[in-house]
Amino acid sequence: MRLRTLMMGMFAAGLVAAAGTTQAAERIEIAVGSMAEIKVDGPSSKSPYETVETEKLEYVVSARSNRWRTMGIYIYPGKYDSDYFRRYTVHTTVEEKWSKYRITASYLDPDPTKIRNERTSPVDLCNERLTATSGAAREKFLKTGVSFIHHQAYRIIAYDDSISNSDSGSVMAPVKITCMALERPRPRSKSETKGPPPREGREMAPTIKKAALRIEPAKVVQDGEFLCPSELKLHGYMETIREFYGKALFVGPHYLSAITTLNLQGKGSRNVTATYEMNWHKMGGFTTQPNAEPAKQKLTFHFNVADKDGKLRKTVEETVEVSCKKIKVAVPTVGDEMTVKPAN
C-alpha cells in the first residue's frame, strides 16, 4: 500500500476534519455514519472494571470527492505500522456523490484527550463513572450498566491512492463505550451435577483439567545374550473442561518430539504419542562380551501442553529405569516381563 510519506505530509499540510466543508483545499470529504462500540467488563460487582472485551473496531463512513478517483480509507492508529495499514486499509473508488464504506481495525484505545502521548483508557472511564455514583444510582449502574458517547475517539483518514496526487480528508469519529452490568449472572462450565453458584470474584478453573504420561517399550533388539528395548513409546493424555487450542510436546534426555497441534472445540480429551530411540552403546556397536549385561538407564521425560501463545499450561514428569533381559529358551515378545519400570 502506498502510504509512503503521505501520512506525515497530510498532517504537516493540515487536514480538514469536518465533512461538508467549503474550503477550496478540501478535495475529499468524509463523514461518520454508524460508530464502533467498546465493551468494558469486570469480574464481579465487588471488583472494579478491568478488561476491554472488544476485539475489533467497526465504522460505516461516507465519502465523496470533486472527481472520480481511487482512494484508501483507514482508522489512524497513532503511528506508522506497515502491517496494520496492509490489513485494515480499504481501497476503493470515490466520486462526487456520497457513498458508504465499512472499515474495521483491531482494537486500540481511543486517541489521547488529556495527555498527548497517552491514549484514553475505556476501563478508567467506566471506573470513574462508577466511583462517581452512590446509593440507588450505583445499584442501577451495577445491575444494568451504562453506555455513553466518547467524542474525538479515532481519526479516520481518506486519501487519494494515485501516485501523482496527495489529496486527503479526515474526520474525528466518536465511539460508544458500554460499561457492562457487573451485578449479573455469570456463565458456568457445564457439569454432570449441579453445584453451588461460584463465589463472586472467584478465579476461573484451569482449562486443562488433567494430564498424564505413560512409557512402555515398543521394539527390542538383541545385544549378546540380552534383549534390550531399542525404542520406547511415549503416551501423553490431556483433558479439558472447555474449548482449547494449543500445542503438545514430549521432552527427554537430549530429545524433543515433534509438536502436535491440539484443537478441542469444547470439553473433551486428546491422546498424543511419540517414540524415543534407545542408545545402549554410545561409542558404537554392541558389546564384544556376550555375557556382559548392558547397564541400566534412568531416563526422565516430560509431557508439556502449551496454549496458542506458547505459554506452558500443564507439564507431567515421569522417570523410568530401562533395563535388558537375558534371553531365555523361549524369546519373550515386546512387553513380556516389561523392561521399563517407574524409577523411585
Side-chain angles (χ1 to χ4, degrees), residues 73-119:
I73 311 175
Y74 60 90
I75 300 172
Y76 181 57
K79 62 180 180 179
Y80 179 76
D81 184 331
S82 59
D83 181 63
Y84 173 93
F85 290 118
R86 177 181 58 79
R87 293 173 62 189
Y88 297 119
T89 298
V90 173
H91 295 275
T92 184
T93 58
V94 66
E95 50 191 15
E96 292 184 9
K97 66 178 182 179
W98 289 100
S99 296
K100 292 183 178 181
Y101 307 92
R102 186 180 304 276
I103 57 173
T104 62
S106 57
Y107 174 79
L108 65 153
D109 285 343
D111 282 4
T113 55
K114 296 179 181 179
I115 304 176
R116 294 185 63 84
N117 63 336
E118 291 186 8
R119 304 189 74 87

mmCIF file of all heavy atoms in Angstrom, residues 73-119:
data_model
loop_
_atom_site.group_PDB
_atom_site.id
_atom_site.type_symbol
_atom_site.label_atom_id
_atom_site.label_comp_id
_atom_site.label_asym_id
_atom_site.label_seq_id
_atom_site.Cartn_x
_atom_site.Cartn_y
_atom_site.Cartn_z
ATOM 1 N N ILE A 73 -9.036 4.242 2.739
ATOM 2 C CA ILE A 73 -9.657 4.729 3.969
ATOM 3 C C ILE A 73 -9.186 3.846 5.121
ATOM 4 O O ILE A 73 -9.162 2.618 5.005
ATOM 5 C CB ILE A 73 -11.203 4.681 3.901
ATOM 6 C CG1 ILE A 73 -11.722 5.321 2.623
ATOM 7 C CG2 ILE A 73 -11.823 5.365 5.115
ATOM 8 C CD1 ILE A 73 -13.228 5.197 2.459
ATOM 9 N N TYR A 74 -8.846 4.444 6.258
ATOM 10 C CA TYR A 74 -8.397 3.657 7.398
ATOM 11 C C TYR A 74 -8.586 4.449 8.692
ATOM 12 O O TYR A 74 -8.742 5.672 8.697
ATOM 13 C CB TYR A 74 -6.920 3.261 7.255
ATOM 14 C CG TYR A 74 -5.973 4.443 7.154
ATOM 15 C CD1 TYR A 74 -5.420 5.004 8.301
ATOM 16 C CD2 TYR A 74 -5.647 4.988 5.919
ATOM 17 C CE1 TYR A 74 -4.563 6.091 8.211
ATOM 18 C CE2 TYR A 74 -4.793 6.073 5.818
ATOM 19 C CZ TYR A 74 -4.252 6.616 6.976
ATOM 20 O OH TYR A 74 -3.408 7.693 6.888
ATOM 21 N N ILE A 75 -8.584 3.727 9.807
ATOM 22 C CA ILE A 75 -8.584 4.335 11.140
ATOM 23 C C ILE A 75 -7.126 4.522 11.529
ATOM 24 O O ILE A 75 -6.358 3.554 11.629
ATOM 25 C CB ILE A 75 -9.295 3.435 12.162
ATOM 26 C CG1 ILE A 75 -10.747 3.201 11.733
ATOM 27 C CG2 ILE A 75 -9.247 4.058 13.560
ATOM 28 C CD1 ILE A 75 -11.470 2.163 12.574
ATOM 29 N N TYR A 76 -6.720 5.754 11.747
ATOM 30 C CA TYR A 76 -5.308 6.041 12.026
ATOM 31 C C TYR A 76 -4.916 5.516 13.411
ATOM 32 O O TYR A 76 -5.539 5.872 14.415
ATOM 33 C CB TYR A 76 -5.071 7.549 11.958
ATOM 34 C CG TYR A 76 -3.627 7.949 12.215
ATOM 35 C CD1 TYR A 76 -2.610 7.426 11.442
ATOM 36 C CD2 TYR A 76 -3.305 8.843 13.234
ATOM 37 C CE1 TYR A 76 -1.293 7.773 11.666
ATOM 38 C CE2 TYR A 76 -1.984 9.205 13.465
ATOM 39 C CZ TYR A 76 -0.987 8.669 12.680
ATOM 40 O OH TYR A 76 0.319 9.014 12.911
ATOM 41 N N PRO A 77 -3.893 4.640 13.503
ATOM 42 C CA PRO A 77 -3.536 4.019 14.785
ATOM 43 C C PRO A 77 -2.629 4.855 15.676
ATOM 44 O O PRO A 77 -2.253 4.414 16.755
ATOM 45 C CB PRO A 77 -2.817 2.740 14.339
ATOM 46 C CG PRO A 77 -2.159 3.137 13.055
ATOM 47 C CD PRO A 77 -3.118 4.085 12.380
ATOM 48 N N GLY A 78 -2.234 6.037 15.218
ATOM 49 C CA GLY A 78 -1.386 6.891 16.057
ATOM 50 C C GLY A 78 0.080 6.832 15.689
ATOM 51 O O GLY A 78 0.855 7.688 16.090
ATOM 52 N N LYS A 79 0.491 5.819 14.934
ATOM 53 C CA LYS A 79 1.877 5.717 14.487
ATOM 54 C C LYS A 79 1.914 4.843 13.243
ATOM 55 O O LYS A 79 0.965 4.117 12.945
ATOM 56 C CB LYS A 79 2.770 5.116 15.576
ATOM 57 C CG LYS A 79 2.377 3.699 15.965
ATOM 58 C CD LYS A 79 3.294 3.155 17.044
ATOM 59 C CE LYS A 79 2.888 1.725 17.433
ATOM 60 N NZ LYS A 79 3.786 1.176 18.474
ATOM 61 N N TYR A 80 3.008 4.910 12.524
ATOM 62 C CA TYR A 80 3.131 4.130 11.285
ATOM 63 C C TYR A 80 3.360 2.655 11.615
ATOM 64 O O TYR A 80 4.222 2.309 12.420
ATOM 65 C CB TYR A 80 4.270 4.659 10.432
ATOM 66 C CG TYR A 80 4.438 3.873 9.153
ATOM 67 C CD1 TYR A 80 3.558 4.058 8.097
ATOM 68 C CD2 TYR A 80 5.446 2.928 9.017
ATOM 69 C CE1 TYR A 80 3.676 3.323 6.926
ATOM 70 C CE2 TYR A 80 5.583 2.193 7.850
ATOM 71 C CZ TYR A 80 4.689 2.399 6.810
ATOM 72 O OH TYR A 80 4.809 1.673 5.664
ATOM 73 N N ASP A 81 2.566 1.801 10.994
ATOM 74 C CA ASP A 81 2.686 0.351 11.160
ATOM 75 C C ASP A 81 2.302 -0.284 9.831
ATOM 76 O O ASP A 81 1.120 -0.358 9.484
ATOM 77 C CB ASP A 81 1.762 -0.129 12.284
ATOM 78 C CG ASP A 81 1.919 -1.618 12.574
ATOM 79 O OD1 ASP A 81 2.260 -2.372 11.650
ATOM 80 O OD2 ASP A 81 1.691 -2.025 13.725
ATOM 81 N N SER A 82 3.282 -0.723 9.062
ATOM 82 C CA SER A 82 3.024 -1.221 7.712
ATOM 83 C C SER A 82 2.071 -2.410 7.704
ATOM 84 O O SER A 82 1.202 -2.522 6.838
ATOM 85 C CB SER A 82 4.342 -1.601 7.027
ATOM 86 O OG SER A 82 5.020 -2.602 7.776
ATOM 87 N N ASP A 83 2.222 -3.325 8.671
ATOM 88 C CA ASP A 83 1.350 -4.491 8.719
ATOM 89 C C ASP A 83 -0.090 -4.069 9.011
ATOM 90 O O ASP A 83 -1.039 -4.591 8.410
ATOM 91 C CB ASP A 83 1.827 -5.475 9.786
ATOM 92 C CG ASP A 83 0.968 -6.722 9.852
ATOM 93 O OD1 ASP A 83 0.935 -7.463 8.848
ATOM 94 O OD2 ASP A 83 0.322 -6.943 10.887
ATOM 95 N N TYR A 84 -0.262 -3.133 9.927
ATOM 96 C CA TYR A 84 -1.600 -2.627 10.260
ATOM 97 C C TYR A 84 -2.253 -2.025 9.024
ATOM 98 O O TYR A 84 -3.395 -2.336 8.692
ATOM 99 C CB TYR A 84 -1.488 -1.590 11.378
ATOM 100 C CG TYR A 84 -2.781 -0.862 11.692
ATOM 101 C CD1 TYR A 84 -3.631 -1.324 12.692
ATOM 102 C CD2 TYR A 84 -3.153 0.281 10.998
ATOM 103 C CE1 TYR A 84 -4.819 -0.672 12.985
ATOM 104 C CE2 TYR A 84 -4.337 0.942 11.281
ATOM 105 C CZ TYR A 84 -5.167 0.465 12.279
ATOM 106 O OH TYR A 84 -6.335 1.117 12.554
ATOM 107 N N PHE A 85 -1.565 -1.138 8.318
ATOM 108 C CA PHE A 85 -2.143 -0.489 7.150
ATOM 109 C C PHE A 85 -2.452 -1.488 6.041
ATOM 110 O O PHE A 85 -3.459 -1.376 5.335
ATOM 111 C CB PHE A 85 -1.216 0.610 6.637
ATOM 112 C CG PHE A 85 -1.135 1.802 7.552
ATOM 113 C CD1 PHE A 85 0.057 2.168 8.139
ATOM 114 C CD2 PHE A 85 -2.263 2.539 7.846
ATOM 115 C CE1 PHE A 85 0.137 3.254 8.995
ATOM 116 C CE2 PHE A 85 -2.204 3.632 8.700
ATOM 117 C CZ PHE A 85 -1.007 3.991 9.275
ATOM 118 N N ARG A 86 -1.594 -2.485 5.880
ATOM 119 C CA ARG A 86 -1.826 -3.502 4.849
ATOM 120 C C ARG A 86 -3.106 -4.284 5.148
ATOM 121 O O ARG A 86 -3.872 -4.611 4.237
ATOM 122 C CB ARG A 86 -0.636 -4.463 4.792
ATOM 123 C CG ARG A 86 -0.793 -5.604 3.794
ATOM 124 C CD ARG A 86 0.409 -6.523 3.825
ATOM 125 N NE ARG A 86 0.638 -7.080 5.131
ATOM 126 C CZ ARG A 86 -0.043 -8.108 5.638
ATOM 127 N NH1 ARG A 86 -1.008 -8.685 4.939
ATOM 128 N NH2 ARG A 86 0.230 -8.575 6.842
ATOM 129 N N ARG A 87 -3.369 -4.565 6.415
ATOM 130 C CA ARG A 87 -4.515 -5.393 6.789
ATOM 131 C C ARG A 87 -5.823 -4.610 6.822
ATOM 132 O O ARG A 87 -6.874 -5.148 6.484
ATOM 133 C CB ARG A 87 -4.277 -6.022 8.164
ATOM 134 C CG ARG A 87 -3.157 -7.042 8.202
ATOM 135 C CD ARG A 87 -2.877 -7.485 9.617
ATOM 136 N NE ARG A 87 -4.038 -8.148 10.205
ATOM 137 C CZ ARG A 87 -4.123 -8.472 11.489
ATOM 138 N NH1 ARG A 87 -3.141 -8.182 12.304
ATOM 139 N NH2 ARG A 87 -5.198 -9.072 11.959
ATOM 140 N N TYR A 88 -5.767 -3.333 7.225
ATOM 141 C CA TYR A 88 -7.019 -2.647 7.538
ATOM 142 C C TYR A 88 -7.385 -1.484 6.618
ATOM 143 O O TYR A 88 -8.463 -0.922 6.756
ATOM 144 C CB TYR A 88 -6.976 -2.150 8.989
ATOM 145 C CG TYR A 88 -6.881 -3.273 9.987
ATOM 146 C CD1 TYR A 88 -5.794 -3.374 10.857
ATOM 147 C CD2 TYR A 88 -7.862 -4.255 10.046
ATOM 148 C CE1 TYR A 88 -5.702 -4.405 11.776
ATOM 149 C CE2 TYR A 88 -7.773 -5.295 10.953
ATOM 150 C CZ TYR A 88 -6.695 -5.366 11.817
ATOM 151 O OH TYR A 88 -6.613 -6.392 12.703
ATOM 152 N N THR A 89 -6.529 -1.107 5.709
ATOM 153 C CA THR A 89 -6.916 -0.038 4.786
ATOM 154 C C THR A 89 -7.873 -0.578 3.730
ATOM 155 O O THR A 89 -7.620 -1.607 3.114
ATOM 156 C CB THR A 89 -5.673 0.564 4.108
ATOM 157 O OG1 THR A 89 -4.835 1.150 5.101
ATOM 158 C CG2 THR A 89 -6.084 1.645 3.106
ATOM 159 N N VAL A 90 -8.989 0.132 3.526
ATOM 160 C CA VAL A 90 -9.954 -0.232 2.498
ATOM 161 C C VAL A 90 -9.617 0.562 1.235
ATOM 162 O O VAL A 90 -9.630 1.799 1.250
ATOM 163 C CB VAL A 90 -11.394 0.091 2.955
ATOM 164 C CG1 VAL A 90 -12.381 -0.124 1.807
ATOM 165 C CG2 VAL A 90 -11.767 -0.774 4.151
ATOM 166 N N HIS A 91 -9.305 -0.111 0.165
ATOM 167 C CA HIS A 91 -9.011 0.537 -1.108
ATOM 168 C C HIS A 91 -10.272 0.482 -1.974
ATOM 169 O O HIS A 91 -10.847 -0.594 -2.186
ATOM 170 C CB HIS A 91 -7.845 -0.168 -1.810
ATOM 171 C CG HIS A 91 -6.560 -0.060 -1.053
ATOM 172 N ND1 HIS A 91 -5.724 1.017 -1.159
ATOM 173 C CD2 HIS A 91 -5.990 -0.900 -0.143
ATOM 174 C CE1 HIS A 91 -4.680 0.842 -0.373
ATOM 175 N NE2 HIS A 91 -4.821 -0.311 0.261
ATOM 176 N N THR A 92 -10.695 1.622 -2.472
ATOM 177 C CA THR A 92 -11.950 1.691 -3.215
ATOM 178 C C THR A 92 -11.901 2.853 -4.197
ATOM 179 O O THR A 92 -10.836 3.434 -4.421
ATOM 180 C CB THR A 92 -13.137 1.846 -2.232
ATOM 181 O OG1 THR A 92 -14.358 1.825 -2.962
ATOM 182 C CG2 THR A 92 -13.029 3.135 -1.443
ATOM 183 N N THR A 93 -13.033 3.192 -4.777
ATOM 184 C CA THR A 93 -13.136 4.360 -5.652
ATOM 185 C C THR A 93 -14.156 5.319 -5.061
ATOM 186 O O THR A 93 -15.067 4.915 -4.338
ATOM 187 C CB THR A 93 -13.574 3.959 -7.067
ATOM 188 O OG1 THR A 93 -14.832 3.290 -7.000
ATOM 189 C CG2 THR A 93 -12.537 3.053 -7.711
ATOM 190 N N VAL A 94 -14.001 6.591 -5.351
ATOM 191 C CA VAL A 94 -14.905 7.614 -4.838
ATOM 192 C C VAL A 94 -15.233 8.579 -5.969
ATOM 193 O O VAL A 94 -14.430 8.783 -6.886
ATOM 194 C CB VAL A 94 -14.265 8.352 -3.641
ATOM 195 C CG1 VAL A 94 -13.052 9.146 -4.073
ATOM 196 C CG2 VAL A 94 -15.273 9.245 -2.938
ATOM 197 N N GLU A 95 -16.447 9.151 -5.913
ATOM 198 C CA GLU A 95 -16.856 10.108 -6.934
ATOM 199 C C GLU A 95 -17.623 11.244 -6.267
ATOM 200 O O GLU A 95 -17.590 11.381 -5.039
ATOM 201 C CB GLU A 95 -17.702 9.407 -7.992
ATOM 202 C CG GLU A 95 -18.837 8.580 -7.405
ATOM 203 C CD GLU A 95 -19.496 7.682 -8.428
ATOM 204 O OE1 GLU A 95 -18.910 7.479 -9.508
ATOM 205 O OE2 GLU A 95 -20.598 7.189 -8.152
ATOM 206 N N GLU A 96 -18.317 12.044 -7.027
ATOM 207 C CA GLU A 96 -18.949 13.242 -6.494
ATOM 208 C C GLU A 96 -20.108 12.941 -5.544
ATOM 209 O O GLU A 96 -20.345 13.692 -4.601
ATOM 210 C CB GLU A 96 -19.438 14.137 -7.645
ATOM 211 C CG GLU A 96 -18.290 14.748 -8.455
ATOM 212 C CD GLU A 96 -18.800 15.699 -9.521
ATOM 213 O OE1 GLU A 96 -20.018 16.013 -9.514
ATOM 214 O OE2 GLU A 96 -17.991 16.126 -10.354
ATOM 215 N N LYS A 97 -20.840 11.885 -5.767
ATOM 216 C CA LYS A 97 -21.945 11.577 -4.858
ATOM 217 C C LYS A 97 -21.423 10.799 -3.648
ATOM 218 O O LYS A 97 -20.422 10.083 -3.728
ATOM 219 C CB LYS A 97 -23.027 10.786 -5.578
ATOM 220 C CG LYS A 97 -22.605 9.389 -6.013
ATOM 221 C CD LYS A 97 -23.762 8.666 -6.684
ATOM 222 C CE LYS A 97 -23.342 7.235 -7.075
ATOM 223 N NZ LYS A 97 -24.463 6.509 -7.716
ATOM 224 N N TRP A 98 -22.137 10.951 -2.512
ATOM 225 C CA TRP A 98 -21.740 10.259 -1.291
ATOM 226 C C TRP A 98 -21.914 8.755 -1.455
ATOM 227 O O TRP A 98 -22.926 8.290 -1.971
ATOM 228 C CB TRP A 98 -22.588 10.727 -0.105
ATOM 229 C CG TRP A 98 -22.306 12.118 0.361
ATOM 230 C CD1 TRP A 98 -23.013 13.239 0.080
ATOM 231 C CD2 TRP A 98 -21.227 12.517 1.206
ATOM 232 N NE1 TRP A 98 -22.451 14.343 0.690
ATOM 233 C CE2 TRP A 98 -21.344 13.921 1.399
ATOM 234 C CE3 TRP A 98 -20.171 11.853 1.821
ATOM 235 C CZ2 TRP A 98 -20.459 14.658 2.163
ATOM 236 C CZ3 TRP A 98 -19.284 12.580 2.602
ATOM 237 C CH2 TRP A 98 -19.424 13.957 2.761
ATOM 238 N N SER A 99 -20.937 7.990 -1.002
ATOM 239 C CA SER A 99 -21.004 6.528 -0.986
ATOM 240 C C SER A 99 -20.573 6.033 0.388
ATOM 241 O O SER A 99 -19.710 6.641 1.041
ATOM 242 C CB SER A 99 -20.096 5.925 -2.060
ATOM 243 O OG SER A 99 -20.539 6.296 -3.354
ATOM 244 N N LYS A 100 -21.162 4.910 0.831
ATOM 245 C CA LYS A 100 -20.854 4.369 2.155
ATOM 246 C C LYS A 100 -19.799 3.274 2.054
ATOM 247 O O LYS A 100 -19.770 2.490 1.112
ATOM 248 C CB LYS A 100 -22.120 3.811 2.808
ATOM 249 C CG LYS A 100 -23.143 4.873 3.179
ATOM 250 C CD LYS A 100 -24.339 4.243 3.889
ATOM 251 C CE LYS A 100 -25.343 5.310 4.304
ATOM 252 N NZ LYS A 100 -26.515 4.720 5.017
ATOM 253 N N TYR A 101 -18.956 3.194 3.099
ATOM 254 C CA TYR A 101 -17.894 2.196 3.163
ATOM 255 C C TYR A 101 -17.791 1.678 4.597
ATOM 256 O O TYR A 101 -17.923 2.444 5.551
ATOM 257 C CB TYR A 101 -16.547 2.796 2.735
ATOM 258 C CG TYR A 101 -16.600 3.476 1.389
ATOM 259 C CD1 TYR A 101 -16.873 4.847 1.292
ATOM 260 C CD2 TYR A 101 -16.408 2.760 0.222
ATOM 261 C CE1 TYR A 101 -16.938 5.473 0.067
ATOM 262 C CE2 TYR A 101 -16.462 3.384 -1.015
ATOM 263 C CZ TYR A 101 -16.738 4.747 -1.091
ATOM 264 O OH TYR A 101 -16.805 5.360 -2.310
ATOM 265 N N ARG A 102 -17.547 0.385 4.728
ATOM 266 C CA ARG A 102 -17.357 -0.220 6.042
ATOM 267 C C ARG A 102 -15.854 -0.417 6.269
ATOM 268 O O ARG A 102 -15.175 -1.039 5.458
ATOM 269 C CB ARG A 102 -18.069 -1.559 6.127
ATOM 270 C CG ARG A 102 -18.048 -2.189 7.536
ATOM 271 C CD ARG A 102 -18.773 -3.534 7.528
ATOM 272 N NE ARG A 102 -20.127 -3.399 7.031
ATOM 273 C CZ ARG A 102 -21.169 -3.028 7.769
ATOM 274 N NH1 ARG A 102 -21.002 -2.751 9.046
ATOM 275 N NH2 ARG A 102 -22.381 -2.930 7.224
ATOM 276 N N ILE A 103 -15.344 0.116 7.377
ATOM 277 C CA ILE A 103 -13.920 -0.038 7.697
ATOM 278 C C ILE A 103 -13.794 -0.664 9.085
ATOM 279 O O ILE A 103 -14.615 -0.423 9.968
ATOM 280 C CB ILE A 103 -13.166 1.307 7.646
ATOM 281 C CG1 ILE A 103 -13.796 2.322 8.590
ATOM 282 C CG2 ILE A 103 -13.095 1.834 6.233
ATOM 283 C CD1 ILE A 103 -13.004 3.603 8.705
ATOM 284 N N THR A 104 -12.766 -1.478 9.256
ATOM 285 C CA THR A 104 -12.527 -2.154 10.532
ATOM 286 C C THR A 104 -11.058 -2.033 10.909
ATOM 287 O O THR A 104 -10.206 -1.701 10.080
ATOM 288 C CB THR A 104 -12.900 -3.650 10.452
ATOM 289 O OG1 THR A 104 -12.071 -4.279 9.467
ATOM 290 C CG2 THR A 104 -14.368 -3.834 10.089
ATOM 291 N N ALA A 105 -10.779 -2.331 12.158
ATOM 292 C CA ALA A 105 -9.398 -2.354 12.655
ATOM 293 C C ALA A 105 -9.373 -3.154 13.944
ATOM 294 O O ALA A 105 -10.402 -3.301 14.615
ATOM 295 C CB ALA A 105 -8.876 -0.945 12.896
ATOM 296 N N SER A 106 -8.221 -3.698 14.291
ATOM 297 C CA SER A 106 -8.085 -4.359 15.581
ATOM 298 C C SER A 106 -8.229 -3.312 16.677
ATOM 299 O O SER A 106 -7.942 -2.129 16.471
ATOM 300 C CB SER A 106 -6.722 -5.050 15.691
ATOM 301 O OG SER A 106 -5.682 -4.121 15.483
ATOM 302 N N TYR A 107 -8.681 -3.739 17.844
ATOM 303 C CA TYR A 107 -8.962 -2.768 18.904
ATOM 304 C C TYR A 107 -7.711 -1.993 19.314
ATOM 305 O O TYR A 107 -6.614 -2.554 19.433
ATOM 306 C CB TYR A 107 -9.539 -3.459 20.152
ATOM 307 C CG TYR A 107 -9.680 -2.473 21.287
ATOM 308 C CD1 TYR A 107 -10.747 -1.586 21.318
ATOM 309 C CD2 TYR A 107 -8.699 -2.374 22.279
ATOM 310 C CE1 TYR A 107 -10.849 -0.632 22.317
ATOM 311 C CE2 TYR A 107 -8.806 -1.427 23.279
ATOM 312 C CZ TYR A 107 -9.877 -0.558 23.289
ATOM 313 O OH TYR A 107 -9.969 0.402 24.272
ATOM 314 N N LEU A 108 -7.875 -0.706 19.555
ATOM 315 C CA LEU A 108 -6.864 0.121 20.195
ATOM 316 C C LEU A 108 -7.598 1.183 21.002
ATOM 317 O O LEU A 108 -8.707 1.579 20.664
ATOM 318 C CB LEU A 108 -5.921 0.772 19.177
ATOM 319 C CG LEU A 108 -6.484 1.798 18.186
ATOM 320 C CD1 LEU A 108 -5.363 2.749 17.778
ATOM 321 C CD2 LEU A 108 -7.015 1.107 16.932
ATOM 322 N N ASP A 109 -6.990 1.602 22.107
ATOM 323 C CA ASP A 109 -7.605 2.623 22.952
ATOM 324 C C ASP A 109 -7.822 3.903 22.153
ATOM 325 O O ASP A 109 -7.066 4.202 21.224
ATOM 326 C CB ASP A 109 -6.718 2.922 24.161
ATOM 327 C CG ASP A 109 -6.770 1.819 25.203
ATOM 328 O OD1 ASP A 109 -7.699 0.996 25.152
ATOM 329 O OD2 ASP A 109 -5.880 1.789 26.076
ATOM 330 N N PRO A 110 -8.862 4.688 22.510
ATOM 331 C CA PRO A 110 -9.130 5.947 21.808
ATOM 332 C C PRO A 110 -7.961 6.923 21.889
ATOM 333 O O PRO A 110 -7.081 6.801 22.735
ATOM 334 C CB PRO A 110 -10.361 6.495 22.537
ATOM 335 C CG PRO A 110 -11.020 5.288 23.125
ATOM 336 C CD PRO A 110 -9.891 4.376 23.508
ATOM 337 N N ASP A 111 -7.986 7.904 20.984
ATOM 338 C CA ASP A 111 -6.949 8.933 20.939
ATOM 339 C C ASP A 111 -6.845 9.656 22.279
ATOM 340 O O ASP A 111 -7.832 9.765 23.020
ATOM 341 C CB ASP A 111 -7.263 9.958 19.839
ATOM 342 C CG ASP A 111 -6.902 9.437 18.460
ATOM 343 O OD1 ASP A 111 -6.486 8.274 18.368
ATOM 344 O OD2 ASP A 111 -7.046 10.183 17.483
ATOM 345 N N PRO A 112 -5.670 10.171 22.620
ATOM 346 C CA PRO A 112 -5.496 10.878 23.892
ATOM 347 C C PRO A 112 -6.305 12.164 23.942
ATOM 348 O O PRO A 112 -6.454 12.863 22.944
ATOM 349 C CB PRO A 112 -3.987 11.158 23.929
ATOM 350 C CG PRO A 112 -3.549 11.116 22.504
ATOM 351 C CD PRO A 112 -4.423 10.100 21.839
ATOM 352 N N THR A 113 -6.863 12.463 25.130
ATOM 353 C CA THR A 113 -7.608 13.704 25.323
ATOM 354 C C THR A 113 -6.978 14.589 26.396
ATOM 355 O O THR A 113 -7.163 15.798 26.386
ATOM 356 C CB THR A 113 -9.069 13.395 25.727
ATOM 357 O OG1 THR A 113 -9.057 12.543 26.890
ATOM 358 C CG2 THR A 113 -9.808 12.691 24.597
ATOM 359 N N LYS A 114 -6.244 13.969 27.325
ATOM 360 C CA LYS A 114 -5.631 14.733 28.414
ATOM 361 C C LYS A 114 -4.117 14.848 28.231
ATOM 362 O O LYS A 114 -3.563 15.932 28.217
ATOM 363 C CB LYS A 114 -5.953 14.080 29.762
ATOM 364 C CG LYS A 114 -7.449 14.077 30.096
ATOM 365 C CD LYS A 114 -7.706 13.400 31.431
ATOM 366 C CE LYS A 114 -9.196 13.377 31.757
ATOM 367 N NZ LYS A 114 -9.480 12.709 33.041
ATOM 368 N N ILE A 115 -3.450 13.708 28.107
ATOM 369 C CA ILE A 115 -2.001 13.681 27.918
ATOM 370 C C ILE A 115 -1.734 13.192 26.505
ATOM 371 O O ILE A 115 -2.149 12.096 26.133
ATOM 372 C CB ILE A 115 -1.316 12.771 28.956
ATOM 373 C CG1 ILE A 115 -1.678 13.220 30.375
ATOM 374 C CG2 ILE A 115 0.193 12.778 28.764
ATOM 375 C CD1 ILE A 115 -1.126 12.319 31.456
ATOM 376 N N ARG A 116 -1.044 13.969 25.711
ATOM 377 C CA ARG A 116 -0.937 13.716 24.275
ATOM 378 C C ARG A 116 -0.286 12.386 23.930
ATOM 379 O O ARG A 116 -0.611 11.782 22.914
ATOM 380 C CB ARG A 116 -0.171 14.864 23.598
ATOM 381 C CG ARG A 116 -0.907 16.196 23.639
ATOM 382 C CD ARG A 116 -0.162 17.246 22.845
ATOM 383 N NE ARG A 116 -0.072 16.905 21.430
ATOM 384 C CZ ARG A 116 -1.016 17.153 20.533
ATOM 385 N NH1 ARG A 116 -2.148 17.715 20.902
ATOM 386 N NH2 ARG A 116 -0.852 16.835 19.268
ATOM 387 N N ASN A 117 0.628 11.921 24.746
ATOM 388 C CA ASN A 117 1.308 10.664 24.415
ATOM 389 C C ASN A 117 0.711 9.455 25.133
ATOM 390 O O ASN A 117 1.282 8.373 25.119
ATOM 391 C CB ASN A 117 2.800 10.769 24.721
ATOM 392 C CG ASN A 117 3.066 10.993 26.202
ATOM 393 O OD1 ASN A 117 2.194 11.497 26.906
ATOM 394 N ND2 ASN A 117 4.248 10.640 26.663
ATOM 395 N N GLU A 118 -0.442 9.619 25.792
ATOM 396 C CA GLU A 118 -1.104 8.510 26.471
ATOM 397 C C GLU A 118 -2.532 8.381 25.960
ATOM 398 O O GLU A 118 -3.326 9.310 26.085
ATOM 399 C CB GLU A 118 -1.117 8.718 27.992
ATOM 400 C CG GLU A 118 0.247 8.619 28.637
ATOM 401 C CD GLU A 118 0.152 8.698 30.155
ATOM 402 O OE1 GLU A 118 -0.978 8.667 30.679
ATOM 403 O OE2 GLU A 118 1.206 8.805 30.796
ATOM 404 N N ARG A 119 -2.858 7.231 25.392
ATOM 405 C CA ARG A 119 -4.199 7.026 24.851
ATOM 406 C C ARG A 119 -5.205 6.898 25.995
ATOM 407 O O ARG A 119 -4.848 6.582 27.122
ATOM 408 C CB ARG A 119 -4.228 5.805 23.950
ATOM 409 C CG ARG A 119 -3.209 5.866 22.804
ATOM 410 C CD ARG A 119 -3.410 4.751 21.811
ATOM 411 N NE ARG A 119 -4.585 4.972 20.963
ATOM 412 C CZ ARG A 119 -4.554 5.670 19.822
ATOM 413 N NH1 ARG A 119 -3.432 6.223 19.404
ATOM 414 N NH2 ARG A 119 -5.643 5.816 19.098
#
